[in-house]
Amino acid sequence: MGDDGSNDPGVEEDQRKYNVGVISEWHQMGTDYSVFLTQLRPGDLIEFKRDGYCHWAVYIGEHAFAENTEADDLIPVLPCIVHRANPADNPENMNGMFSASKSMRKGIYGIGDVVVEPLRDVWRESGAKINNGMDTTIPPFPAQKIVERALCVVYGEDRQSYTPYNVLTNNCEHFASWCRSGWSVSSQVARRTEQLVKLGMVAGAAVLPRPLSIMGGLCLAGLQMMTEVRRSASSQSQNGFDFARDQLDDLSMPAVSFVPSDGQQGVEDQIMTSGGR
């Protein structure tokens, strides 16, 4: 199954990796539950096939599950997963309107929206498969460390515990990938983004040639207007400079008239009087 050091006696238990790079077939819980369990190893990523999207979880192996038990009751040990619960995720109702998963009552399981649940409760009617396909690109942590990382978030010991669910940047696949390799990667978001970009390019080529030509014309007109504005500003600056220079020239000219004082006749009046004689 693609084990890496799992059967090597020289590899310490806390350094063993399992199912490296393995992508299994799809399984149905009603017919393949036991077969699927024989393939699963702690630290595996499980992909659940919903209607229109896929839900992701980290398999942590058999885990003591104490929900709805009294102090004296026996605590069942069940095959469990850790996942970032999608508020709209519903393994029974494929339209995702009302969730049958106990993930909606997050406080019972852990802090925030990362929870521990029995594999059966999340699997239900969906298809499920092991999907460790990213191992070929990003090397995974040892299995024990993957499980520890997932449970640390459940118990509020990592900052991931307090980051809200976001379908584009912090969804269930981002979390599962982070647990296994330290990188938050979502291939389904990448695929949808690529599809949207391609659709946008097709729509742009088919619908927007006329608007694009108009926008090009407007940009050209805008450049011409900016050129005229610069020219106008330059002309106005030159005119202002000429005006200031003229004013300075006027101030530097010698005075030709004086205001009379104490009954004395001004120079200009004396000239006019002399000229009249």
Side-chain angles (χ1 to χ4, degrees), residues 91-223:
E92 290 186 335
N93 178 1
M94 291 305 157
N95 292 324
M97 295 300 294
F98 300 100
S99 177
S101 170
K102 298 182 181 67
S103 302
M104 296 302 289
R105 294 181 284 128
K106 304 181 184 70
I108 296 176
Y109 303 104
I111 296 175
D113 57 357
V114 175
V115 297
V116 179
E117 292 194 72
L119 173 61
R120 283 181 175 272
D121 289 354
V122 181
W123 188 353
R124 299 283 179 159
E125 302 301 323
S126 304
K129 71 177 181 180
I130 299 170
N131 190 343
N132 298 329
M134 286 298 295
D135 292 350
T136 57
T137 304
I138 308 174
F141 292 123
Q144 183 173 321
K145 184 173 182 178
I146 298 170
V147 174
E148 289 174 352
R149 286 168 65 85
L151 290 175
C152 279
V153 178
V154 172
Y155 299 129
E157 299 172 4
D158 188 277
R159 63 182 181 84
Q160 286 271 351
S161 308
Y162 310 99
T163 55
Y165 178 89
N166 185 297
V167 68
L168 296 178
T169 62
N170 198 32
N171 63 31
C172 54
E173 187 179 0
H174 286 113
F175 171 72
S177 174
W178 175 85
C179 289
R180 187 164 178 86
S181 67
W183 290 81
S184 297
V185 179
S186 177
S187 57
Q188 56 188 335
V189 169
R191 286 194 300 268
R192 294 297 174 88
T193 302
E194 182 181 2
Q195 291 171 358
L196 289 175
V197 170
K198 290 181 179 179
L199 287 174
M201 294 176 64
V202 171
V207 179
L208 297 181
R210 180 62 179 171
L212 286 177
S213 64
I214 294 174
M215 288 298 296
L218 289 174
C219 291
L220 181 59
L223 289 174

